[in-house]
Amino acid sequence: MSNSIIFDFETLSTNRYNCVVVSLAALKFSEDNFTSGNGYSFNELVESAKLIKFDVQDQVKNHNRVIDKKTLEWWNEQGSEAKKQLVPSNQDQSITELYDFFVSTITDMNFKSKVYTRGNNFDPIIFENIMDQLHKPHPYSFWQLRDTRSIIEGLSWGSGLKNSFMPEGCDNFIHHDPVHDIALDVMRMQTLVRAIS
């Protein structure tokens, strides 16, 4: 099995070093499944993903993390489905729970597993900064990191296809929902792998 994980934060700032994080979605998948049988469906990936939603006020008060006004304005322009995750809930977790959430998501993965994000200059920096702030180890090594933009653009080289293309079967996609965002990128990779296999 070619086990991999993909994760994505939603944030209230674009400052990678001190932003408030709203939520994190993580999804385990196997690249082997891209070319076997019917592969993954978008809904299957969405249902398999795990989500943790964070307590925003706790981060500001207790962890010196920052909310950016321009990012809040940007969120106000997004769809109502995406904005639901900004509503505080009594289920919101402290960012101190991030490490355990992530480790429990990858418990049966081996040390060679790949760790994907949309771009490695944002989400991994946020993640590793929070781990450092909380004095937790990084649960993956630097060499495991991959970014889906590069994979998608590499697989579609010369075709003119954008890395944001919408594969078939993803009609119920919700923009800026982290679960949907990671499921969509897995579908993009699968679509291209199947096309060239």
Side-chain angles (χ1 to χ4, degrees):
M1 292 285 281
S2 181
N3 288 326
S4 300
I5 187 168
I6 184 169
F7 71 88
D8 181 48
F9 281 105
E10 295 300 333
T11 69
L12 295 180
S13 169
T14 56
N15 184 318
R16 297 163 293 174
Y17 302 99
N18 67 3
C19 65
V20 165
V21 291
V22 175
S23 56
L24 176 118
L27 169 65
K28 286 191 298 190
F29 66 96
S30 172
E31 293 173 336
D32 292 341
N33 203 43
F34 287 173
T35 54
S36 65
N38 294 324
Y40 290 110
S41 72
F42 179 70
N43 289 337
E44 175 186 2
L45 292 168
V46 167
E47 291 169 11
S48 298
K50 294 185 177 182
L51 176 73
I52 184 169
K53 191 168 171 295
F54 299 105
D55 185 323
V56 168
Q57 293 306 316
D58 173 64
Q59 292 175 66
V60 173
K61 291 178 184 174
N62 301 317
H63 300 283
N64 297 315
R65 302 194 72 81
V66 177
I67 297 172
D68 175 63
K69 183 181 176 184
K70 288 184 181 177
T71 305
L72 281 180
E73 291 169 358
W74 177 87
W75 272 108
N76 283 330
E77 297 168 1
Q78 304 312 305
S80 59
E81 285 297 314
K83 286 194 285 191
K84 284 181 182 177
Q85 65 191 298
L86 300 182
V87 178
S89 156
N90 60 7
Q91 302 298 313
D92 292 353
Q93 302 289 309
S94 169
I95 60 168
T96 59
E97 299 300 317
L98 174 58
Y99 178 82
D100 289 342
F101 168 82
F102 195 86
V103 168
S104 71
T105 303
I106 62 171
T107 48
D108 60 346
M109 297 177 70
N110 64 47
F111 71 96
K112 295 180 182 178
S113 300
K114 296 174 186 173
V115 178
Y116 286 96
T117 62
R118 183 82 173 137
N120 286 341
N121 63 346
F122 193 70
D123 296 276
I125 293 172
I126 295 169
F127 189 97
E128 293 164 17
N129 176 269
I130 293 172
M131 293 300 97
D132 293 345
Q133 183 181 13
L134 299 175
H135 307 290
K136 295 284 189 181
H138 297 186
Y140 54 81
S141 296
F142 70 91
W143 52 264
Q144 292 176 281
L145 285 171
R146 309 289 191 274
D147 77 278
T148 59
R149 284 190 193 102
S150 296
I151 298 281
I152 292 164
E153 290 176 3
L155 289 171
S156 62
W157 179 260
S159 70
L161 191 68
K162 293 184 177 180
N163 68 50
S164 58
F165 80 95
M166 186 65 67
E168 288 183 20
C170 302
D171 301 331
N172 59 342
F173 172 71
I174 300 170
H175 288 276
H176 310 300
D177 176 318
V179 168
H180 283 233
D181 287 342
I182 59 178
L184 182 61
D185 262 356
V186 173
M187 289 296 292
R188 287 172 175 142
M189 291 190 290
Q190 175 178 269
T191 298
L192 292 170
V193 167
R194 292 175 80 87
I196 64 174
S197 295

